[in-house]
Amino acid sequence: MPNDMKDRPLIYLALVLSLTALGYAIWVHRQADSIAEAALQRREARFVDALTPKVQRAYTAMGITNRLDHPTRLEQLFGPYLDRMNEMVGGDTNR
């Protein structure tokens, strides 16, 4: 049996593995934005969970009552504070 006949299955295996790796790389590249966005949202949620008790105590001390009990985003957590600051300077309360 000639030498290139023995190598043929190895060549096909290498080709299949290369195409599989290329396909996976393309898939990961297309999913990168959604993976990053999901990771940022998880991190923001953990950050908001950690800050919420302290911020809620500060709101109570400032007399702010228009707050969410369980905010999940920074915008929800600090929105009442921004509203109060806008009221104090007489600015637009629409964010």
Side-chain angles (χ1 to χ4, degrees):
M1 193 163 172
N3 221 6
D4 65 334
M5 292 299 274
K6 289 180 185 176
D7 295 338
R8 199 165 269 175
L10 185 58
I11 291 170
Y12 289 132
L13 178 62
L15 179 62
V16 168
L17 286 175
S18 296
L19 290 175
T20 302
L22 180 63
Y24 179 72
I26 291 170
W27 178 80
V28 167
H29 180 71
R30 289 182 180 214
Q31 300 298 319
D33 287 340
S34 61
I35 291 169
E37 182 67 30
L40 286 172
Q41 287 176 354
R42 285 191 306 272
R43 185 172 182 176
E44 180 183 30
R46 286 193 308 268
F47 186 65
V48 168
D49 284 343
L51 277 180
T52 295
K54 294 175 184 177
V55 172
Q56 299 290 24
R57 282 193 300 271
Y59 286 169
T60 300
M62 287 188 274
I64 296 175
T65 58
N66 65 332
R67 61 181 188 236
L68 291 177
D69 288 332
H70 303 287
T72 57
R73 300 188 50 93
L74 288 170
E75 183 178 80
Q76 295 169 337
L77 180 62
F78 291 109
Y81 176 76
L82 294 174
D83 290 343
R84 175 59 61 99
M85 291 300 114
N86 282 332
E87 289 173 14
M88 291 174 66
V89 297
D92 185 19
T93 59
N94 296 327
R95 280 180 273 130

